[in-house]
């Protein structure tokens, strides 16, 4: 059984007028069916308002389905008794690092999750040390989160989830407020967690280049899943992605344009190296 | 304008006073304040002053940090002193000028009250200077746990306090940012006059409050996502535990209180 199973999920937001009647509805998710296997690195793409955050919050039981079903590790999010268990299996990191930190010291911040789920004191210390080590922030243990760079703050936030020992981490645009260095730090941390700890990663992002190393890319548009495949296949649909308001990585786009003009380049080029290799082969 | 907001005016140190359990310090401060109100003689205040001075000495906090708190209450002391100088008419008449009559009783009463208020402030300063805000909220949470039986939300209040402390620097920064953004568009914050300056605040406060609400919503969601569900079943990374020094501390405190009571019931003395 897959770790995350989503069956025909619908989600509507309601807008109310002054007298409390429903004045309008917005279907943020429409008939989403997905299943995510344990241990995979999944990237979710989509332009603003396509429903990515709404989907993420369903997996963490922050939202409940208007229609359909979400199962995390076999547990239905609709069952109130499951909520805490689900949140501890599927941790969530948000966009703004400042707005998700509770404590004044890094180590206490990382301890917040384990404290909430009632881990004994000695074990909390072990988990904090271990999680900080995993994200490479041990040296900042006693620092105030306010003094850290954006990338460091997000790594602390990730450590704060890792310390709950989840099977899955969902990250909602964790790099949107970071500079390129910070983005690279966070991405590297995520791939390490995925490879070494076998933690399932669900990364929501706007940056195409963050998705090329994923096992799977899901493209959303207007509340629906429109593409769902390995990166190479997804980025072969250059025209479709563009029509859905998304860019493709620069090498992919260059290869695509050259191909349209008659050069015999292979499909689905993702990185600069691949492009250079293919181009050199062509020149020979 | 907001550069100098420093909260949790903690003075780092390694002294016994710093290391005391925050509950000991909280109840110590309470007992000290109570002792000030038990006192009705100068000799009692002298004892309190001696006690406080010894504690300050042990804590290693420089005197100028302790006395900094006095600046803020200068006006209150002044008003209280004036009231008691003119309203108390016991003892001998010292000055009789126009409508003003000053008696010796008024003067000594004024001095007594002034010293009492100053000791009050100095005593609480020592506590905040030697305890980090986090430890202080921890202490409050655990010390007031007994109030849970009457369903007083001790844990929630402590959580609110610590989150407020965490967000003060962030909101201060944000306020500076908003101010600069508005100055860049021609707003003038250097206006003279009390009312004008107050009015200058409004365009700062509105965006600040809106942003604070947004942050609060985000934070609430992040706390939910990390399994926060109130104080029930929650463990602590750094639980408070009384050490031997705390028992000695309590012993010293109660001896001090006992001595104060003795002085109070003594039939003679000033
Ligand atoms: N709390 C809410 N109330 C009403 N409508 C909402 C709410 N949150 C989101 N929506 C609407 O639901 C749709 C999907 O929003 P969602 O936040 O999931 O998009 P997103 O893909 O995460 O976008 P972004 O890239 O901007 O983060 C949008 O049209 C949005 O306007
Ligand atoms: Mg979003």
């Amino acid at each position: 059984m897959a770790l995350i199973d989503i069956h025909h999920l619908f989600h509507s937001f309601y807008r109310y007028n002054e007298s409390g009647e429903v004045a309008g509805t917005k279907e943020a998710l429409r008939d989403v069916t997905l299943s995510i296997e344990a241990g995979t690195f999944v990237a979710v793409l989509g332009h603003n308002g396509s429903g990515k955050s709404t989907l993420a919050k369903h997996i963490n039981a922050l939202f409940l389905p208007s229609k359909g079903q979400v199962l995390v590790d076999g547990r239905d999010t609709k069952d109130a008794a499951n909520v805490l268990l689900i949140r501890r299996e599927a941790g969530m990191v948000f966009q703004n690092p400042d707005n998700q930190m509770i404590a004044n010291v890094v180590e206490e911040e990382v301890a917040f999750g384990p404290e909430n789920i009632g881990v004994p004191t000695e074990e909390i210390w072990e988990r904090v040390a271990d999680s900080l080590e995993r994200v490479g922030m041990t040296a900042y243990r006693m620092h105030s989160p306010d003094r850290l760079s954006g990338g460091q703050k997000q790594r602390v936030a990730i450590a704060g989830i890792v310390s709950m020992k989840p099977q899955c981490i969902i990250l909602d645009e964790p790099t949107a407020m970071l500079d390129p260095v910070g983005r690279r730090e966070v991405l590297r941390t995520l791939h390490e967690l995925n490879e070494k700890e076998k933690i399932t990663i669900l990364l929501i992002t706007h940056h195409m280049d963050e998705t090329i190393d994923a096992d799977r890319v899901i493209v959303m548009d207007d509340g629906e899943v429109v593409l769902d495949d390995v990166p190479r296949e997804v980025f072969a649909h250059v025209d479709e992605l563009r029509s859905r308001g998304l860019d493709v990585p620069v090498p992919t786009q260059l290869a695509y344009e050259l191909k349209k003009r008659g050069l015999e380049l292979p499909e689905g080029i993702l990185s600069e190296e691949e492009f250079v290799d293919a181009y050199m082969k062509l020149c020979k | 304008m907001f550069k100098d907001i420093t909260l949790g005016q903690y003075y780092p140190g390694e002294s016994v006073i710093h290391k005391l359990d925050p509950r000991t310090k909280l109840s110590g401060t309470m007992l000290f304040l109570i002792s000030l109100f038990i006192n009705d003689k100068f000799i009692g205040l002298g004892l309190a002053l001696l006690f406080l001075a010894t504690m300050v000495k042990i804590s290693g906090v420089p005197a100028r940090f302790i006395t900094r708190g006095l600046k803020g209450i200068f006006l209150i002391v002044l008003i209280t002193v004036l009231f008691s100088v003119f309203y108390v008419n016991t003892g001998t008449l010292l000055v009789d000028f126009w409508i003003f009559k000053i008696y010796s009783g008024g003067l000594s009463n004024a001095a007594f009250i002034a010293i009492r208020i100053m000791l009050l402030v100095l005593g609480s300063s020592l506590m905040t200077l030697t305890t980090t805000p986090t430890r202080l909220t921890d202490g409050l949470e655990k010390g007031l746990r007994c109030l849970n039986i009457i369903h007083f939300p001790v844990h929630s209040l402590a959580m609110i306090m610590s989150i407020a402390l965490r967000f003060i620097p962030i909101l201060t920064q944000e306020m500076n940012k908003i101010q600069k953004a508005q100055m860049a568009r021609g707003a003038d914050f250097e206006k003279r006059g009390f009312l004008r300056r107050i009015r200058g605040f409004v365009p700062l406060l509105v965006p600040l409050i809106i942003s604070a609400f947004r942050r609060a919503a985000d934070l609430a969601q992040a706390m939910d996502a990390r399994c926060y569900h109130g104080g029930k079943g929650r463990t602590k990374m750094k639980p408070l535990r009384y050490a031997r020094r705390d028992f000695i501390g309590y012993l010293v405190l109660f001896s001090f209180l006992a001595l104060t009571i003795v002085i109070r019931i003594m039939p003679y003395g000033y």
Side-chain angles (χ1 to χ4, degrees):
Chain A
M1 189 183 54
L3 179 61
I4 297 166
D5 251 317
I6 300 172
H7 296 289
H8 304 289
L9 172 65
F10 288 76
H11 186 96
S12 313
F13 287 109
Y14 297 99
R15 209 175 50 243
Y16 297 93
N17 60 14
E18 290 90 43
S19 46
E21 292 148 8
V22 177
T25 54
K26 161 86 202 168
E27 275 208 319
L29 290 177
R30 272 204 303 262
D31 200 11
V32 173
T33 299
L34 274 179
S35 78
I36 293 173
E37 298 297 328
T40 45
F41 193 118
V42 182
V44 181
L45 281 172
H47 64 80
N48 291 105
S50 55
K52 306 180 299 287
S53 300
T54 311
L55 178 67
K57 285 171 190 170
H58 273 280
I59 302 173
N60 195 263
L62 286 171
F63 284 165
L64 295 178
S66 305
K67 217 162 81 190
Q69 192 184 35
V70 178
L71 298 176
V72 179
D73 202 15
R75 297 189 180 95
D76 193 333
T77 56
K78 267 195 218 147
D79 188 347
N82 284 338
V83 168
L84 281 181
L85 285 167
I86 287 172
R87 288 186 182 157
R88 128 193 213 176
E89 292 301 346
M92 188 147 171
V93 174
F94 297 86
Q95 179 174 356
N96 186 337
D98 282 327
N99 294 358
Q100 51 182 315
M101 303 234 170
I102 290 98
N104 292 298
V105 186
V106 166
E107 63 173 16
E108 286 171 19
E109 173 61 31
V110 178
F112 183 73
E115 286 180 336
N116 288 336
I117 55 178
V119 176
T121 300
E122 293 77 41
E123 200 188 326
I124 294 181
W125 283 87
E126 283 162 27
R127 286 193 185 197
V128 167
D130 190 59
S131 314
L132 284 173
E133 184 75 42
R134 301 235 174 281
V135 301
M137 288 295 292
T138 306
Y140 297 88
R141 190 174 176 144
M142 303 303 288
H143 284 230
S144 154
D146 295 326
R147 304 273 159 81
L148 303 178
S149 74
Q152 291 172 331
K153 281 181 195 170
Q154 282 301 40
R155 275 148 70 201
V156 170
I158 293 170
I161 299 298
V162 172
S163 62
M164 293 205 286
K165 302 207 169 163
Q167 293 197 54
C168 167
I169 304 180
I170 306 146
L171 303 102
D172 192 356
E173 302 191 34
T175 57
M177 303 179 91
L178 308 184
D179 57 9
V181 179
R183 278 174 51 196
R184 265 199 301 277
E185 284 172 14
V186 171
L187 251 313
R188 183 161 15 89
T189 307
L190 292 179
H191 279 286
E192 272 175 27
L193 287 173
N194 180 242
E195 276 149 32
K196 290 194 192 139
E197 314 294 320
K198 307 284 173 249
I199 296 178
T200 311
I201 304 281
L202 194 74
L203 173 68
I204 296 172
T205 179
H206 264 130
H207 298 284
M208 303 302 135
D209 47 330
E210 292 180 357
T211 66
I212 56 178
D213 291 325
D215 298 323
R216 178 173 166 193
V217 176
I218 294 171
V219 179
M220 296 193 64
D221 190 16
D222 202 16
E224 290 177 89
V225 173
V226 290
L227 287 173
D228 178 359
D229 212 329
V230 293
R232 205 172 292 285
E233 292 300 322
V234 167
F235 290 119
H237 298 85
V238 177
D239 282 329
E240 170 157 19
L241 288 173
R242 286 229 197 105
S243 73
R244 301 204 184 271
L246 291 168
D247 281 328
V248 292
V250 174
T252 314
Q253 187 171 353
L254 189 57
Y256 174 79
E257 297 290 341
L258 287 173
K259 204 169 161 219
K260 245 189 0 196
R261 281 169 181 69
L263 277 186
E264 304 245 330
L265 286 165
E267 274 204 349
I269 285 179
L270 293 175
S271 66
E272 264 172 55
E273 290 87 54
E274 278 176 43
F275 178 83
V276 173
D277 280 353
Y279 190 75
M280 294 307 275
K281 229 177 262 161
L282 207 66
C283 292
K284 271 183 204 145
Chain B
M1 194 187 325
F2 312 101
K3 281 191 288 288
D4 37 45
I5 299 179
T6 52
L7 213 115
Q9 25 156 351
Y10 178 65
Y11 184 86
E14 290 285 309
S15 74
V16 192
I17 306 275
H18 282 85
K19 284 186 193 143
L20 278 179
D21 190 289
R23 284 169 292 173
T24 315
K25 281 187 268 190
L26 276 167
S27 30
T29 311
M30 280 307 292
L31 287 180
F32 183 73
L33 300 189
I34 290 170
S35 84
L36 289 179
F37 285 96
I38 293 175
N39 268 319
D40 62 349
K41 304 187 182 71
F42 276 106
I43 177 170
L45 288 186
L47 177 73
L49 184 63
L50 190 73
F51 176 75
L52 187 63
T54 319
M55 293 301 142
V56 171
K57 185 85 197 141
I58 297 173
S59 75
V61 179
R64 79 196 142 85
F65 278 89
I66 303 274
T67 49
R68 213 156 49 174
L70 291 181
K71 252 189 284 174
I73 55 149
F74 176 75
L75 205 67
I76 298 174
V77 173
L78 192 74
I79 292 171
T80 337
V81 163
L82 287 180
F83 263 92
S84 76
V85 163
F86 293 115
Y87 276 90
V88 178
N89 44 12
T90 54
T92 49
L93 186 65
L94 298 176
V95 179
D96 190 357
F97 170 72
W98 191 33
I99 56 167
F100 298 115
K101 291 186 173 58
I102 297 178
Y103 295 86
S104 63
L107 278 188
S108 77
N109 193 293
F112 192 87
I113 291 175
I115 294 174
R116 187 188 261 169
I117 297 177
M118 288 197 291
L119 281 175
L120 217 118
V121 171
L122 294 177
S124 8
S125 298
L126 182 64
M127 179 182 68
T128 49
L129 280 165
T130 57
T131 321
T132 61
T134 324
R135 296 255 298 160
L136 209 56
T137 33
D138 278 356
L140 274 176
E141 179 176 0
K142 203 156 177 196
L144 299 180
R145 217 171 24 175
C146 51
L147 294 182
N148 273 330
I149 357 174
I150 57 164
H151 298 290
F152 186 79
V154 179
H155 170 80
S156 311
L157 279 181
M159 185 53 87
I160 290 168
M161 242 172 92
S162 59
I163 288 174
L165 286 169
R166 149 118 186 78
F167 275 84
I168 283 171
I170 292 176
L171 291 178
T172 314
Q173 258 176 27
E174 184 142 306
M175 185 119 177
N176 286 328
K177 238 188 262 168
I178 297 172
Q179 194 184 14
K180 287 205 185 101
Q182 297 193 347
M183 260 150 61
R185 283 179 281 158
D188 179 12
F189 289 101
E190 309 296 316
K191 286 197 193 98
R192 312 223 154 234
F194 187 65
L195 267 182
R196 280 214 205 155
R197 275 178 75 166
I198 296 271
R199 225 177 295 151
F201 257 121
V202 176
L204 287 186
L205 281 182
V206 173
L208 190 70
I209 289 172
I210 290 173
S211 127
F213 272 109
R214 188 165 310 134
R215 281 177 193 279
D218 276 6
L219 186 74
Q221 201 154 60
M223 288 171 75
D224 269 344
R226 285 165 77 184
C227 295
Y228 180 73
H229 55 289
K232 224 172 78 196
R234 203 163 185 271
T235 46
K236 288 242 166 205
M237 183 193 196
K238 300 172 182 170
L240 293 178
R241 285 197 192 101
Y242 277 127
R244 217 177 59 141
R245 54 174 169 265
D246 294 297
F247 292 107
I248 300 172
Y250 275 113
L251 210 69
V252 171
L253 275 167
F254 282 111
S255 333
F256 164 70
L257 193 67
L259 211 58
T260 307
I261 293 172
V262 168
I263 291 176
R264 163 81 195 228
I265 50 187
M266 273 191 323
Y268 47 83
Y270 291 97

